[in-house]
């Protein structure tokens, strides 16, 4: 029986034209969305209908939700922090980090808050986090300016620990029971959530009054001014942008959607990498653009191989 060759990750003709353009490109943008981290095992909670337990995830990501039920919002974000800390950057994160090291005028704009791009060694000066990070925390009191970055404590307070099932009948000691404890999936509505009191939640160490909140940008809040200014300065620095890669995002929400058109207005060709061809969007692709359908973790390293070579050891900086 004749063997069949494996289907290439990227159509050869498209791969050739993309690599040739990338080789000649000097000013490059990358725009990242939740699909970038899907191969790392993180849920995307995409759009309306993205549920966490019985709650629409988008409805938990608001100042109003936090004011109404800070315990529930913290349980949602503590779950996301825990999941992201236990995930690993995937080859797409590492490939983009390598490209950033090799291309002086390359800037990545990420809508992700999971911290995987920094952990893959992406140079911080070439990575702009539009929506902040799960590992930043700040005081919720209006008159308090406390803000902390890179808080990787998991759980951030004991009351937010992921509950476990310690009912293994084969254990004989408390130590063995803890070792064999199985974390429960609190995204499943059938799993009971621990009841929280206000005093159980993380408190501000500065004002001693406010509850700390995740330092992400919630719906209805402004994006970070310093980040937006840096991006605007980069875009305005030259009349020409050669390429924008749109990875794992439908880019239908502004300002992210606007960056594609800004880049195109400066001559950029657009390359979309996405699992869903519908995310190309009406009028988003021109004849000279590319759409690569599939898993970013497979496609991005293949696209960039001509510039970065084969990926070597992929070290998670959190393990260092």
């Amino acid at each position: 029986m004749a063997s069949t060759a494996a289907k290439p990750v990227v159509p050869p003709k498209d791969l050739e034209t993309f690599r040739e353009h990338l080789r000649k490109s000097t000013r490059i943008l990358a725009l990242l969305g939740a699909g970038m981290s899907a191969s790392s095992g993180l849920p995307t909670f995409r759009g309306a209908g993205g549920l966490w337990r019985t709650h629409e995830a988008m409805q938990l990501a608001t100042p109003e939700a936090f004011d109404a039920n800070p315990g529930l919002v913290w349980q949602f974000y503590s779950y996301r922090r825990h999941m992201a800390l236990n995930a690993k950057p995937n080859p797409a994160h590492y490939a983009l980090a390598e490209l950033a090291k090799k291309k002086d005028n390359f800037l990545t704009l990420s809508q992700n808050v999971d911290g995987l791009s920094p952990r893959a060694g992406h140079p911080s000066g070439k990575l702009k986090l539009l929506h902040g990070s799960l590992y930043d925390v700040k005081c919720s009191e209006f008159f308090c300016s406390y803000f902390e970055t890179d808080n990787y404590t998991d759980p951030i307070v004991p009351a937010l620990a992921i509950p476990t099932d310690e009912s293994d009948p084969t254990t004989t000691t408390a130590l063995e029971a803890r070792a064999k404890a199985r974390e429960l999936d609190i995204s499943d509505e059938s799993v009971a959530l621990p009841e929280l009191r206000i005093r159980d939640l993380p408190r501000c160490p500065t004002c001693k009054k406010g509850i700390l909140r995740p330092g992400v940008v919630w719906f209805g809040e402004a994006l970070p001014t310093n980040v937006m200014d840096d991006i605007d300065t980069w875009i305005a620095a030259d009349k020409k942008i050669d390429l924008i890669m749109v990875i794992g995002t439908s880019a239908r929400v502004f300002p992210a959607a606007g960056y594609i058109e800004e880049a195109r207005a400066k001559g950029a060709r657009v390359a979309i990498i996405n699992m869903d061809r519908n995310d190309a969007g009406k009028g988003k692709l021109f004849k000279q653009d590319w759409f690569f359908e599939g898993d970013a973790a497979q496609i991005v390293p293949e696209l960039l191989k001509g510039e970065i070579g084969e990926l070597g050891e992929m070290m998670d900086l959190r393990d260092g």
Side-chain angles (χ1 to χ4, degrees):
M1 183 171 139
S3 62
T4 56
K7 183 180 178 182
V9 173
V10 178
K13 185 177 178 181
D14 291 340
L15 178 61
E16 180 183 354
T17 58
F18 176 86
R19 284 184 176 175
E20 176 61 20
H21 184 71
L22 177 61
R23 185 184 64 79
K24 298 183 295 186
S25 297
T26 55
R27 300 193 78 230
I28 305 167
L29 278 171
L31 177 63
L32 313 183
M36 174 80 171
S37 297
S39 288
S40 295
L42 296 183
T44 61
F45 298 116
R46 291 182 56 174
L51 293 180
W52 184 75
R53 298 178 68 85
T54 58
H55 308 280
E56 280 204 11
M58 290 173 64
Q59 293 180 353
L60 293 175
T62 68
E64 293 77 17
F66 188 78
D67 289 342
N69 194 338
L72 177 65
V73 172
W74 255 120
Q75 283 168 321
F76 172 54
Y77 278 94
S78 183
Y79 167 82
R80 292 183 65 186
R81 283 164 59 97
H82 182 73
M83 292 289 287
L85 282 172
N86 283 281
K88 295 290 185 183
N90 66 56
H93 294 107
Y94 288 104
L96 281 180
E98 288 304 308
L99 189 66
K101 294 169 188 174
K102 291 180 181 294
K103 293 278 189 180
D104 291 336
N105 235 332
F106 174 49
L107 187 66
T108 297
L109 320 178
S110 180
Q111 300 170 89
N112 297 336
V113 296
D114 52 42
L116 293 180
S117 288
R119 285 167 54 187
H122 201 113
S124 59
K126 296 181 178 181
L127 177 66
K128 300 302 174 184
L129 302 178
L130 296 173
H131 296 160
S133 168
L134 290 171
Y135 309 106
D136 295 344
V137 290
K138 62 183 181 179
C139 184
S140 60
E141 282 291 305
F142 183 78
F143 292 106
C144 183
S145 59
Y146 178 79
F147 190 97
E148 180 185 0
T149 61
D150 300 333
N151 182 320
Y152 293 105
T153 305
D154 180 36
I156 191 167
V157 290
L160 288 169
I162 303 294
T164 58
D165 176 6
E166 299 183 4
S167 59
D168 187 342
T170 65
T171 57
T172 57
T173 67
L175 184 61
E176 284 184 340
R178 284 195 296 273
K180 293 186 177 182
R182 178 178 61 88
E183 287 185 349
L184 300 178
D185 180 9
I186 63 169
S187 68
D188 182 344
E189 64 184 284
S190 68
V191 175
L193 284 177
E195 290 189 17
L196 296 178
R197 301 157 296 184
I198 290 294
R199 68 172 180 265
D200 296 326
L201 300 178
R203 309 294 298 197
C204 177
T206 298
C207 73
K208 312 294 185 185
K209 177 183 177 185
I211 302 170
L212 294 180
R213 52 155 281 187
V216 298
V217 179
W218 281 333
F219 291 99
E221 296 182 326
L223 298 182
T225 303
N226 60 329
V227 171
M228 305 307 292
D229 288 346
D230 287 347
I231 296 170
D232 290 343
T233 298
W234 188 94
I235 290 174
D238 196 287
K239 294 180 181 178
K240 177 76 172 171
I241 296 175
D242 299 295
L243 172 68
I244 181 168
M245 294 180 286
V246 183
I247 307 171
T249 175
S250 61
R252 294 191 174 106
V253 178
F254 283 84
Y259 290 132
I260 299 173
E261 297 313 313
E262 284 191 69
R264 195 190 290 285
K266 291 198 165 196
R269 295 176 70 175
V270 178
I272 296 178
I273 299 98
N274 207 295
M275 293 290 290
D276 186 353
R277 185 164 284 278
N278 292 327
D279 277 347
K282 185 178 179 181
K284 196 175 289 184
L285 284 178
F286 292 180
K287 185 177 179 180
Q288 71 272 23
D289 298 332
W290 300 271
F291 185 91
F292 299 107
E293 184 175 5
D295 183 351
Q298 294 181 320
I299 292 174
V300 173
E302 187 68 17
L303 292 177
L304 305 187
K305 190 182 294 182
E307 295 297 311
I308 67 172
E310 294 282 354
L311 287 174
E313 182 182 2
M314 293 181 283
M315 175 175 279
D316 184 343
L317 296 188
R318 286 285 298 150
D319 296 335

